[in-house]
Coordinates of all heavy atoms in Angstrom, one line a residue:
M24 N 11.6 84.1 17.5 CA 12.1 84.9 18.6 C 11.0 84.9 19.7 O 9.8 84.9 19.4 CB 12.4 86.3 18.2 CG 13.6 86.4 17.2 SD 15.2 86.0 17.9 CE 15.7 87.6 18.5
A25 N 11.4 85.0 20.9 CA 10.4 85.1 22.0 C 10.9 86.2 23.0 O 12.1 86.5 23.0 CB 10.3 83.8 22.8
T26 N 10.0 86.9 23.7 CA 10.4 87.9 24.6 C 10.5 87.3 26.0 O 9.6 86.7 26.5 CB 9.4 89.1 24.6 OG1 9.4 89.6 23.2 CG2 9.9 90.2 25.5
Y27 N 11.7 87.5 26.6 CA 11.9 87.1 28.0 C 12.1 88.3 28.9 O 12.6 89.3 28.5 CB 13.1 86.2 28.0 CG 13.0 84.9 27.2 CD1 13.5 84.8 25.9 CD2 12.3 83.8 27.7 CE1 13.3 83.7 25.2 CE2 12.1 82.7 27.0 CZ 12.6 82.6 25.7 OH 12.5 81.5 25.0
E28 N 11.6 88.1 30.1 CA 11.7 89.2 31.1 C 12.8 88.9 32.1 O 12.8 87.8 32.7 CB 10.3 89.4 31.7 CG 10.2 90.8 32.4 CD 8.8 91.0 33.0 OE1 7.9 90.2 32.7 OE2 8.6 92.0 33.7
Y29 N 13.6 89.9 32.3 CA 14.6 89.8 33.4 C 14.5 91.0 34.3 O 13.9 92.0 34.0 CB 16.0 89.9 32.7 CG 16.4 88.6 32.0 CD1 16.0 88.4 30.7 CD2 17.1 87.6 32.6 CE1 16.3 87.2 30.0 CE2 17.5 86.4 32.0 CZ 17.1 86.3 30.6 OH 17.4 85.1 30.0
V30 N 15.0 90.8 35.5 CA 15.0 92.0 36.4 C 16.4 92.2 37.0 O 17.0 91.2 37.5 CB 13.9 91.8 37.6 CG1 14.2 90.6 38.4 CG2 13.9 93.1 38.4
C31 N 16.9 93.4 37.0 CA 18.1 93.8 37.6 C 17.8 94.4 38.9 O 16.9 95.2 39.1 CB 18.9 94.8 36.7 SG 20.3 95.5 37.5
S32 N 18.6 94.0 40.0 CA 18.3 94.6 41.3 C 18.5 96.1 41.3 O 17.9 96.8 42.1 CB 19.2 93.9 42.3 OG 20.6 94.0 42.0
G33 N 19.4 96.6 40.5 CA 19.6 98.0 40.4 C 18.7 98.8 39.5 O 18.3 99.9 39.8
C34 N 18.4 98.2 38.3 CA 17.7 99.0 37.3 C 16.3 98.5 37.1 O 15.5 99.2 36.4 CB 18.4 98.8 35.9 SG 20.2 99.1 36.1
G35 N 15.9 97.4 37.7 CA 14.5 97.0 37.5 C 14.3 96.0 36.3 O 15.3 95.6 35.7
P36 N 13.1 95.7 36.0 CA 12.8 94.8 34.9 C 13.1 95.3 33.5 O 13.0 96.5 33.3 CB 11.3 94.4 35.1 CG 10.7 95.7 35.8 CD 11.9 96.3 36.6
Y37 N 13.4 94.4 32.6 CA 13.6 94.7 31.2 C 13.3 93.5 30.4 O 13.4 92.4 30.9 CB 15.0 95.3 30.9 CG 16.1 94.3 31.1 CD1 16.6 93.6 30.0 CD2 16.7 94.1 32.3 CE1 17.7 92.7 30.1 CE2 17.7 93.2 32.5 CZ 18.2 92.5 31.4 OH 19.2 91.6 31.5
D38 N 13.0 93.7 29.1 CA 12.7 92.6 28.2 C 13.8 92.3 27.2 O 14.5 93.3 26.8 CB 11.4 92.9 27.4 CG 10.2 92.9 28.3 OD1 10.2 92.3 29.3 OD2 9.2 93.6 27.8
V39 N 14.0 91.1 26.9 CA 15.0 90.7 25.9 C 14.4 89.8 24.9 O 13.7 88.9 25.2 CB 16.2 90.0 26.5 CG1 17.3 89.8 25.5 CG2 16.7 90.7 27.7
A40 N 14.6 90.0 23.6 CA 14.1 89.1 22.6 C 15.2 88.1 22.2 O 16.4 88.5 21.9 CB 13.8 89.9 21.3
L41 N 14.9 86.9 22.4 CA 15.9 85.8 22.2 C 15.3 84.7 21.4 O 14.1 84.6 21.3 CB 16.3 85.2 23.6 CG 17.1 86.1 24.5 CD1 17.2 85.5 25.9 CD2 18.5 86.4 24.0
P42 N 16.1 83.9 20.7 CA 15.5 82.7 20.0 C 14.8 81.8 21.0 O 15.2 81.8 22.2 CB 16.8 82.0 19.5 CG 17.9 83.0 19.5 CD 17.6 83.9 20.6
M43 N 13.8 81.1 20.5 CA 13.0 80.3 21.4 C 13.9 79.3 22.1 O 14.7 78.6 21.5 CB 11.9 79.5 20.5 CG 10.8 78.9 21.3 SD 9.6 80.1 21.9 CE 8.6 80.3 20.4
G44 N 13.8 79.2 23.4 CA 14.6 78.3 24.2 C 16.0 78.8 24.5 O 16.8 78.1 25.0
G45 N 16.3 80.0 24.0 CA 17.6 80.6 24.2 C 17.9 81.4 25.5 O 18.9 81.9 25.6
A46 N 16.8 81.4 26.3 CA 17.0 82.2 27.5 C 17.8 81.5 28.6 O 17.7 80.3 28.7 CB 15.6 82.6 28.1
T47 N 18.6 82.2 29.3 CA 19.4 81.7 30.4 C 18.8 82.2 31.7 O 18.2 83.3 31.7 CB 20.9 82.1 30.3 OG1 20.9 83.5 30.1 CG2 21.5 81.4 29.1
P48 N 19.0 81.6 32.8 CA 18.5 82.0 34.1 C 19.0 83.4 34.5 O 18.3 84.2 35.1 CB 18.9 81.0 35.1 CG 19.2 79.8 34.3 CD 19.7 80.3 33.0
Y49 N 20.2 83.7 34.1 CA 20.8 85.0 34.4 C 21.4 85.7 33.1 O 21.9 84.9 32.3 CB 21.9 84.9 35.5 CG 21.3 84.5 36.8 CD1 21.2 83.2 37.1 CD2 20.9 85.5 37.7 CE1 20.7 82.8 38.4 CE2 20.4 85.1 38.9 CZ 20.3 83.7 39.3 OH 19.8 83.4 40.5
R50 N 21.3 87.0 33.0 CA 22.0 87.7 32.0 C 22.6 89.0 32.5 O 22.2 89.4 33.6 CB 20.9 88.2 30.9 CG 20.4 87.1 30.0 CD 19.5 87.7 29.0 NE 20.2 88.5 28.0 CZ 20.8 88.0 27.0 NH1 20.8 86.7 26.8 NH2 21.4 88.8 26.1
D51 N 23.6 89.5 31.8 CA 24.1 90.8 32.3 C 23.1 91.9 32.0 O 22.6 91.9 30.9 CB 25.4 91.1 31.5 CG 26.6 90.2 32.0 OD1 26.4 89.5 33.0 OD2 27.6 90.1 31.3
C52 N 22.9 92.8 32.9 CA 22.0 93.9 32.7 C 22.6 94.8 31.6 O 23.8 95.1 31.6 CB 21.8 94.6 34.0 SG 20.9 96.2 33.8
P53 N 21.7 95.2 30.6 CA 22.2 96.1 29.6 C 22.6 97.5 30.1 O 23.3 98.2 29.4 CB 21.1 96.1 28.5 CG 19.9 95.8 29.3 CD 20.3 94.9 30.4
E54 N 22.0 97.9 31.2 CA 22.2 99.2 31.7 C 23.5 99.3 32.6 O 24.3 100.2 32.3 CB 21.0 99.6 32.6 CG 19.7 99.8 31.9 CD 19.7 101.0 31.0 OE1 20.4 102.0 31.3 OE2 19.0 100.9 29.9
C55 N 23.7 98.4 33.5 CA 24.8 98.5 34.5 C 25.8 97.3 34.4 O 26.8 97.4 35.0 CB 24.3 98.7 35.9 SG 23.5 97.2 36.5
G56 N 25.4 96.3 33.6 CA 26.3 95.2 33.4 C 26.3 94.2 34.6 O 27.0 93.2 34.6
G57 N 25.4 94.5 35.6 CA 25.3 93.6 36.7 C 24.4 92.4 36.4 O 23.8 92.3 35.3
P58 N 24.4 91.4 37.3 CA 23.6 90.2 37.0 C 22.1 90.5 37.1 O 21.6 91.1 38.1 CB 24.0 89.2 38.1 CG 24.5 90.1 39.2 CD 25.0 91.4 38.6
A59 N 21.3 90.1 36.1 CA 19.9 90.2 36.1 C 19.3 88.8 36.1 O 19.7 88.0 35.4 CB 19.4 91.0 34.9
R60 N 18.2 88.7 36.8 CA 17.6 87.4 37.0 C 16.4 87.3 36.1 O 15.6 88.2 35.9 CB 17.2 87.2 38.5 CG 16.7 85.8 38.8 CD 16.6 85.7 40.4 NE 15.8 86.8 40.9 CZ 14.5 86.7 41.1 NH1 13.8 85.7 40.7 NH2 13.8 87.8 41.6
R61 N 16.1 86.1 35.5 CA 15.0 85.9 34.6 C 13.7 85.8 35.5 O 13.7 85.2 36.5 CB 15.2 84.6 33.8 CG 14.1 84.4 32.8 CD 14.3 83.2 32.0 NE 13.1 82.9 31.2 CZ 12.9 81.8 30.6 NH1 13.8 80.8 30.7 NH2 11.8 81.6 29.9
I62 N 12.6 86.4 35.0 CA 11.3 86.3 35.6 C 10.4 85.5 34.8 O 10.4 85.7 33.5 CB 10.7 87.7 35.8 CG1 11.6 88.8 36.3 CG2 9.5 87.6 36.7 CD1 11.1 90.2 36.2
F63 N 9.7 84.5 35.4 CA 8.8 83.7 34.6 C 7.4 84.3 34.8 O 6.6 83.8 35.5 CB 8.9 82.3 35.1 CG 10.2 81.6 34.9 CD1 11.2 81.8 35.9 CD2 10.5 81.0 33.8 CE1 12.4 81.2 35.7 CE2 11.7 80.4 33.6 CZ 12.7 80.5 34.6
S64 N 7.1 85.4 34.1 CA 5.9 86.0 34.4 C 5.1 86.4 33.1 O 4.2 87.1 33.1 CB 6.1 87.3 35.2 OG 6.7 88.3 34.4
A65 N 5.5 85.8 32.0 CA 4.8 86.0 30.7 C 3.9 84.8 30.5 O 4.4 83.8 29.8 CB 5.7 86.2 29.5
P66 N 2.8 84.7 31.1 CA 2.0 83.4 31.2 C 1.7 82.8 29.8 O 2.1 81.7 29.5 CB 0.8 83.7 31.9 CG 0.7 85.2 31.9 CD 2.1 85.8 31.7
S67 N 1.1 83.5 28.9 CA 0.6 82.9 27.7 C 1.8 82.6 26.8 O 1.9 81.5 26.3 CB -0.3 83.8 26.9 OG 0.3 85.1 26.7
L68 N 2.7 83.5 26.6 CA 3.9 83.3 25.7 C 4.8 82.1 26.2 O 5.1 81.3 25.4 CB 4.7 84.6 25.6 CG 5.8 84.5 24.6 CD1 5.3 84.4 23.2 CD2 6.7 85.7 24.7
S69 N 5.1 82.1 27.5 CA 6.0 81.1 28.0 C 5.3 79.7 28.0 O 6.0 78.7 27.7 CB 6.5 81.4 29.4 OG 5.5 81.5 30.3
R70 N 4.0 79.7 28.2 CA 3.3 78.4 28.2 C 3.3 77.9 26.7 O 3.6 76.7 26.5 CB 1.9 78.6 28.7 CG 1.2 77.2 29.0 CD 0.1 77.4 30.0 NE -0.9 78.4 29.5 CZ -1.4 79.4 30.3 NH1 -1.1 79.3 31.6 NH2 -2.2 80.3 29.9
V71 N 3.1 78.7 25.8 CA 3.1 78.3 24.4 C 4.5 77.8 24.0 O 4.7 76.8 23.3 CB 2.6 79.4 23.4 CG1 2.9 79.1 22.0 CG2 1.1 79.7 23.6
G72 N 5.5 78.6 24.4 CA 6.9 78.3 24.1 C 7.3 76.9 24.7 O 7.9 76.1 24.0
R73 N 6.8 76.7 25.9 CA 7.2 75.4 26.6 C 6.5 74.3 25.9 O 7.1 73.2 25.6 CB 6.8 75.5 28.1 CG 7.6 74.5 28.9 CD 7.6 74.9 30.4 NE 6.4 75.5 30.8 CZ 6.3 76.7 31.4 NH1 7.4 77.3 31.7 NH2 5.2 77.2 31.9
A74 N 5.2 74.4 25.5 CA 4.5 73.4 24.9 C 5.1 73.1 23.5 O 5.2 71.9 23.1 CB 3.0 73.8 24.7
L75 N 5.5 74.1 22.8 CA 6.1 74.0 21.5 C 7.4 73.2 21.6 O 7.7 72.3 20.9 CB 6.4 75.3 20.8 CG 7.0 75.3 19.5 CD1 6.0 74.7 18.4 CD2 7.3 76.7 19.0
A76 N 8.2 73.6 22.6 CA 9.5 73.0 22.8 C 9.3 71.5 23.2 O 10.1 70.6 22.6 CB 10.3 73.6 24.0
E77 N 8.3 71.2 24.0 CA 8.1 69.8 24.3 C 7.6 69.0 23.1 O 8.0 67.8 22.9 CB 7.0 69.7 25.5 CG 7.7 70.1 26.8 CD 6.6 70.2 27.9 OE1 5.4 69.8 27.6 OE2 6.9 70.6 29.0
A78 N 6.8 69.6 22.3 CA 6.3 69.0 21.1 C 7.4 68.7 20.1 O 7.5 67.6 19.6 CB 5.2 69.8 20.4
L79 N 8.3 69.6 19.9 CA 9.4 69.4 19.1 C 10.3 68.3 19.6 O 10.9 67.5 18.9 CB 10.2 70.7 18.9 CG 9.5 71.8 18.1 CD1 10.3 73.1 18.2 CD2 9.3 71.4 16.7
D80 N 10.5 68.3 20.9 CA 11.3 67.3 21.6 C 10.8 65.9 21.3 O 11.5 65.0 21.0 CB 11.4 67.6 23.1 CG 12.6 67.1 23.7 OD1 13.7 67.2 23.1 OD2 12.6 66.5 24.8
R81 N 9.4 65.8 21.5 CA 8.8 64.5 21.2 C 8.9 64.1 19.8 O 9.2 62.9 19.5 CB 7.3 64.6 21.6 CG 7.0 64.2 23.0 CD 5.5 63.9 23.2 NE 4.7 65.1 22.8 CZ 4.4 66.1 23.7 NH1 4.9 66.1 24.9 NH2 3.6 67.1 23.3
E82 N 8.8 65.0 18.9 CA 8.9 64.7 17.5 C 10.3 64.2 17.1 O 10.4 63.3 16.4 CB 8.6 66.0 16.7 CG 8.3 65.7 15.2 CD 8.2 67.0 14.4 OE1 8.3 68.0 14.9 OE2 7.9 66.8 13.2
E83 N 11.3 64.8 17.7 CA 12.7 64.4 17.5 C 12.9 62.9 17.9 O 13.5 62.1 17.3 CB 13.7 65.3 18.2 CG 13.7 66.7 17.7 CD 15.1 67.1 17.3 OE1 16.0 66.7 18.0 OE2 15.2 67.9 16.4
R84 N 12.3 62.6 19.1 CA 12.5 61.3 19.7 C 11.7 60.3 18.8 O 12.3 59.2 18.5 CB 12.0 61.2 21.1 CG 13.0 61.6 22.1 CD 12.7 61.2 23.5 NE 11.5 61.8 24.0 CZ 11.5 63.0 24.7 NH1 12.6 63.5 25.0 NH2 10.4 63.5 25.1
S85 N 10.5 60.6 18.4 CA 9.7 59.7 17.6 C 10.3 59.5 16.2 O 10.1 58.5 15.6 CB 8.3 60.1 17.5 OG 8.1 61.3 16.8
R86 N 11.1 60.5 15.7 CA 11.7 60.4 14.5 C 12.9 59.4 14.6 O 13.2 58.7 13.6 CB 12.3 61.8 14.0 CG 11.5 62.3 12.8 CD 12.4 63.2 11.9 NE 13.1 64.2 12.7 CZ 12.6 65.4 13.0 NH1 11.4 65.7 12.6 NH2 13.2 66.3 13.7
D87 N 13.5 59.4 15.7 CA 14.7 58.5 15.9 C 14.3 57.1 16.0 O 14.9 56.2 15.6 CB 15.4 58.9 17.2 CG 16.3 60.2 17.0 OD1 16.4 60.6 15.8 OD2 16.8 60.7 18.0
A88 N 13.1 56.8 16.7 CA 12.7 55.5 17.0 C 12.6 54.6 15.7 O 13.1 53.5 15.7 CB 11.4 55.5 17.8
P89 N 11.8 55.0 14.7 CA 11.7 54.2 13.5 C 13.0 53.8 12.9 O 13.2 52.7 12.3 CB 10.9 55.1 12.5 CG 10.2 56.0 13.4 CD 11.1 56.3 14.6
E90 N 14.0 54.7 13.0 CA 15.3 54.4 12.4 C 15.9 53.1 13.1 O 16.5 52.3 12.4 CB 16.3 55.6 12.7 CG 15.9 56.8 11.9 CD 16.1 56.7 10.4 OE1 16.9 55.8 10.0 OE2 15.4 57.3 9.6
V91 N 15.8 53.1 14.4 CA 16.3 51.9 15.1 C 15.6 50.7 14.7 O 16.2 49.6 14.5 CB 16.1 52.2 16.7 CG1 16.6 50.9 17.4 CG2 16.9 53.4 17.1
V92 N 14.3 50.7 14.6 CA 13.5 49.6 14.2 C 13.9 49.1 12.8 O 14.1 47.9 12.5 CB 12.0 49.9 14.2 CG1 11.2 48.7 13.6 CG2 11.5 50.2 15.6
R93 N 14.1 50.1 11.9 CA 14.5 49.7 10.5 C 15.9 49.0 10.5 O 16.1 48.1 9.7 CB 14.6 51.0 9.7 CG 13.9 50.8 8.3 CD 13.8 52.1 7.5 NE 13.0 53.1 8.2 CZ 13.1 54.4 8.1 NH1 14.0 54.9 7.4 NH2 12.3 55.2 8.8
D94 N 16.8 49.4 11.4 CA 18.1 48.8 11.4 C 18.0 47.3 11.8 O 18.7 46.5 11.4 CB 19.0 49.5 12.4 CG 19.5 50.8 11.8 OD1 19.3 51.0 10.6 OD2 20.0 51.7 12.6
V95 N 17.0 47.0 12.7 CA 16.8 45.6 13.2 C 16.4 44.7 12.0 O 16.8 43.6 11.9 CB 15.8 45.6 14.3 CG1 15.5 44.2 14.8 CG2 16.4 46.4 15.5
H96 N 15.5 45.2 11.2 CA 14.9 44.4 10.1 C 15.9 44.0 9.0 O 16.6 44.8 8.5 CB 13.7 45.1 9.5 CG 12.5 45.0 10.4 ND1 11.8 43.8 10.6 CD2 11.9 45.9 11.1 CE1 10.8 44.1 11.4 NE2 10.8 45.3 11.7
Ligands
ZN9 ZN1 21.2 97.1 36.0

């Protein structure tokens, strides 16, 4: 889980705990149900999360590549 920050124009900022990579640009505000916009202001956490997501993405791609090579042989 990672903590994401959103801000509602009526209620102000609030945090939501979501699975890594599960954040959407907008969420319904838990207070008033209005649209709340995501803020990208958690520097260390979001940087680690992004690096981790990119690393996992690369790993998935490199795992696929050997399969293709093996099919050719
Ligand atoms: Zn609100």
